[in-house]
Amino acid sequence: MSTPIALSPGSRAAALEAMASEPLDVLVVGGGVVGAGAALDAVTRGLSVGLVEQRDLASGTSSRSSKLVHGGLRYLEMLDFALVREALHERGLLLTRLAPHLVRPVAFLYPLHHAWERPYVGAGVALYDAMAMSGRHDMGVPKHKHLFRKQVARMAPDLRVDDLHGAIRYYDCQVDDARLVMTLARTAADNGAHVATRTQVTGFLREGERVVGVTARDLENGVDLQIRARTVINAAGVWTDAVQDLLGGDAQLDVDASKGVHLVVPRDRIRSECGFITKTEKSVLFVIPWGLYWIIGTTDTAWDLDLAHPAASRADIDYLLAHVNTLLKDPLDHEDVVGVYAGLRPLLKPVARDGDLGETTKLSREHTVAEPVPGLVLVAGGKLTTYRVMAKDAVDHALREDERVPASITERVPLAGASRFEARTNQRVALSRAAGLELGRIDHLLGRYGGLVDEVLDLLAARPELAEPLAGAEHHLAGEVVYAVTHEGARHLDDVLTRRTRISIETFDRGVAAARPAAVLMGGELGWDDATVEREVDHYLRRVEAERRSQLMPTDQEADEARVQVADIV
């Protein structure tokens, strides 16, 4: 069986040349989860497809989520049954068919602080499981279970249980969101889509009122080009308003940005077999197991500052620490925080601007598809879990008048790495012996690459020096950096340290020590000279310092001013 086409430096150049040469059926603007999903949906219907992204794949919202694939338990309380049912269907599909190598079950405890909560919360979680079991796919996770105080104390020794009436354990799933997006894009490319990052849309091509393509700039080389397409699908998330501004005239969608901040702390700081979820006065608090760490989130506050690099303030960090510490015997403090990241949720509201940001917790997470002018489709809103439905709806809407176009088949298209994943998992001991790697290393690779582990191991066999740990981030191998460039579309140091890996939030120094070794490895594949290596390292170090400064600032405005001092390298 052949392996998927690599997202290599050469494939990017070929994609730009192809998109500029021949008109496409569909051009997707935006390389987040919905854009990558739309490209895969369209190309697997037999259409010619291009995907352009002005920065890196998943460089916005889609790499900064809570990293959960879930139905949204809290939406049951809002009586949004349709959204929960749809999300649970997609959860089961991802876990059991589309991406079993990337999506895995995770257990949560819902602490019960009052006796009346047991029947109330229990009924909600029972309905949650029932909806999951009633879908067309395997539920894929265990059913919920009621626990009493002593059971909770055994499962979570660091949880304060004195004032609890027990807990309910239930299951959802988690995913490395950035790797999911990259894998979607790679699967789309393998099916014939042209994928080009660092390509900015600068305007729209029009014939009368109809959009017939875009003008764009290759940011790596400073070259302008035109890309013609029968339909343009804009999946720019929180940048939707900016894209509508390029059109002129009235907007059809109004997308507000809500900032969600997450903290990363070492796993040994909270002894527990499960994560936690509890309600706050504004939203919910998740404490999520994440390998050797916990992810704690999230906030939910309006944001109208820099969209590319939302900044976490000290107030955000204090808010999360204060809420998680109400659950813990041994409180966390700022010294326990390894990493911090902030992302923006695209939330829909009626088109009526009055200058008031409003209360984002009351805006919709459901998605909407609109066509402000013929030939341009906008898709916005939604959540990570339901990306496939959003992508399908956008392509359906774009091509609704063409009866020759087949229906979506992405429900039956496993993502790159899903094939052979189970077989390679069963063969993990043999792989360990053959490669001369510890079993834990093989498990790590399987969890990142699935069945594509063969490609990585072939690279290590051909270049044994790449089987060594990456200096400064020894939980990764040097070969993973090279593979990110040759197969996963990484073009800059940020791409590797923040998205292809999570070194930027999974090391106490936030990847500073790993920056130069990783840049040298990347430079060998991308042809960087010494000056370019130095520029990449310097940019990354300044970015980390800017983020650290922003996280000391008391307000969003001050945090934003500190963070934007370091712009993107391209």
Side-chain angles (χ1 to χ4, degrees):
M1 182 183 294
S2 62
T3 53
I5 290 174
L7 294 178
S8 65
S11 74
R12 176 185 180 274
L16 287 170
E17 182 180 356
M19 286 189 282
S21 301
E22 295 288 339
L24 302 167
D25 291 320
V26 176
L27 174 67
V28 180
V29 178
V33 71
V34 177
L40 177 60
D41 187 283
V43 77
T44 53
R45 299 189 195 208
L47 303 171
S48 59
V49 177
L51 168 66
V52 294
E53 159 60 42
Q54 71 172 348
R55 294 189 294 151
D56 183 31
L57 296 168
S59 56
T61 301
S62 295
S63 61
R64 305 174 189 177
S65 73
S66 297
K67 313 197 189 313
L68 293 176
V69 174
H70 65 136
L73 188 60
R74 72 187 177 109
Y75 295 111
L76 283 180
E77 195 169 31
M78 302 176 187
L79 305 182
D80 202 341
F81 300 118
L83 178 62
V84 175
R85 184 180 295 107
E86 178 180 81
L88 287 171
H89 168 80
E90 294 301 312
R91 184 191 76 176
L93 189 60
L94 282 162
L95 177 64
T96 62
R97 180 185 294 179
L98 301 186
H101 56 311
L102 300 176
V103 178
R104 51 192 58 88
V106 59
F108 287 100
L109 295 177
Y110 192 114
L112 303 173
H113 297 276
H114 307 282
W116 58 264
E117 287 183 297
R118 187 174 292 279
Y120 178 72
V121 176
V125 178
L127 177 60
Y128 196 66
D129 281 353
M131 284 183 170
M133 289 186 288
S134 67
R136 297 193 301 275
H137 306 285
D138 230 352
M139 180 173 167
V141 300
K143 297 177 184 177
H144 74 283
K145 183 178 181 180
H146 284 258
L147 304 172
F148 296 98
R149 186 184 301 168
K150 288 184 178 179
Q151 294 170 295
V152 175
R154 286 195 297 269
M155 295 179 66
D158 282 346
L159 188 66
R160 294 171 57 184
V161 297
D162 291 348
D163 59 346
L164 294 184
H165 290 259
I168 296 176
R169 183 185 65 193
Y170 78 100
Y171 286 80
D172 259 316
C173 295
Q174 66 181 178
V175 68
D176 186 324
D177 45 11
R179 293 200 64 78
L180 173 64
V181 175
M182 180 279 299
T183 305
L184 280 165
R186 191 172 175 190
T187 310
D190 188 50
N191 282 278
H194 308 298
V195 178
T197 58
R198 286 345 195 273
T199 305
Q200 181 182 13
V201 170
T202 55
F204 289 99
L205 301 173
R206 307 282 285 265
E207 290 182 359
E209 283 297 306
R210 186 173 185 85
V211 167
V212 294
V214 304
T215 58
R217 167 160 283 209
D218 173 359
L219 297 177
E220 297 281 19
N221 302 303
V223 175
D224 292 318
L225 62 151
Q226 293 187 349
I227 304 173
R228 294 189 169 270
R230 183 153 56 107
T231 299
V232 177
I233 296 177
N234 178 71
V238 293
W239 281 271
T240 297
D241 289 352
V243 171
Q244 290 181 128
D245 289 343
L246 291 177
L247 285 173
D250 294 331
Q252 284 206 5
L253 296 181
D254 194 355
V255 177
D256 270 2
S258 168
K259 183 176 68 167
V261 174
H262 296 80
L263 311 180
V264 181
V265 303
R267 190 67 175 267
D268 61 8
R269 278 299 283 114
I270 305 174
R271 292 177 299 160
S272 177
E273 298 174 15
C274 306
F276 314 134
I277 175 176
T278 189
K279 292 176 65 175
T280 69
E281 65 274 15
K282 294 181 180 179
S283 183
V284 295
L285 178 80
F286 282 103
V287 181
I288 307 165
W290 181 254
L292 299 175
Y293 307 91
W294 297 97
I295 291 176
I296 300 170
T298 178
T299 60
D300 192 349
T301 53
W303 180 265
D304 65 345
L305 301 169
D306 183 60
L307 296 179
H309 304 292
S313 68
R314 187 176 181 90
D316 294 323
I317 298 171
D318 287 342
Y319 171 88
L320 290 171
L321 290 175
H323 279 80
V324 74
N325 284 339
T326 64
L327 299 173
L328 302 176
K329 293 178 181 177
D330 184 12
L332 301 173
D333 61 28
H334 287 264
E335 298 301 314
D336 295 309
V337 177
V338 176
V340 181
Y341 65 93
L344 299 178
R345 307 176 190 88
L347 302 180
L348 291 171
K349 69 175 183 178
V351 178
R353 295 185 179 278
D354 57 7
D356 182 9
L357 284 174
E359 190 174 346
T360 63
T361 53
K362 294 182 179 178
L363 299 184
S364 175
R365 291 300 300 271
E366 295 188 53
H367 69 275
T368 294
V369 179
E371 190 170 18
V373 295
L376 175 65
V377 170
L378 305 177
V379 55
K383 51 190 284 189
L384 177 78
T385 306
T386 56
Y387 81 85
R388 194 193 63 82
V389 177
M390 295 175 66
K392 171 184 175 297
D393 288 351
V395 177
D396 281 346
H397 189 85
L399 304 169
R400 64 192 182 282
E401 296 177 359
D402 191 341
E403 297 179 355
R404 299 168 299 172
V405 177
S408 174
I409 64 166
T410 51
E411 199 173 61
R412 304 188 299 278
V413 179
L415 303 189
S419 174
R420 300 197 299 264
F421 169 59
E422 289 188 64
R424 292 297 180 265
T425 300
N426 290 339
Q427 297 162 352
R428 52 196 283 275
V429 174
L431 291 175
S432 171
R433 290 172 180 163
L437 295 173
E438 297 175 358
L439 191 58
R441 290 284 188 191
I442 295 296
D443 290 339
H444 164 84
L445 296 176
L446 284 166
R448 286 170 52 75
Y449 307 103
L452 297 179
V453 69
D454 294 351
E455 289 185 340
V456 180
L457 294 178
D458 286 347
L459 174 65
L460 302 184
R463 299 170 60 181
E465 72 278 8
L466 297 181
E468 296 297 320
L470 175 65
E474 284 74 15
H475 51 297
H476 288 279
L477 298 176
E480 295 177 67
V481 175
V482 171
Y483 187 84
V485 174
T486 58
H487 289 72
E488 297 180 342
R491 298 191 58 80
H492 294 279
L493 188 55
D494 281 358
D495 300 350
V496 170
L497 297 185
T498 64
R499 287 174 289 277
R500 302 307 182 276
T501 71
R502 295 299 186 170
I503 290 170
S504 65
I505 60 170
E506 292 183 351
T507 54
F508 269 108
D509 70 351
R510 306 199 183 183
V512 168
R516 187 172 302 281
V520 170
L521 288 166
M522 294 184 70
E525 305 305 317
L526 291 166
W528 292 348
D529 57 19
D530 291 344
T532 304
V533 170
E534 290 301 321
R535 183 169 68 101
E536 291 279 339
V537 173
D538 177 67
H539 174 268
Y540 184 80
L541 299 184
R542 289 189 295 111
R543 182 203 127 158
V544 169
E545 181 56 32
E547 288 180 345
R548 287 187 181 277
R549 283 199 306 272
S550 72
Q551 291 155 18
L552 298 175
M553 299 300 171
T555 67
D556 280 355
Q557 184 69 48
E558 292 166 294
D560 178 71
E561 290 172 359
R563 177 61 186 88
V564 298
Q565 294 302 311
V566 181
D568 286 332
I569 198 165
V570 173

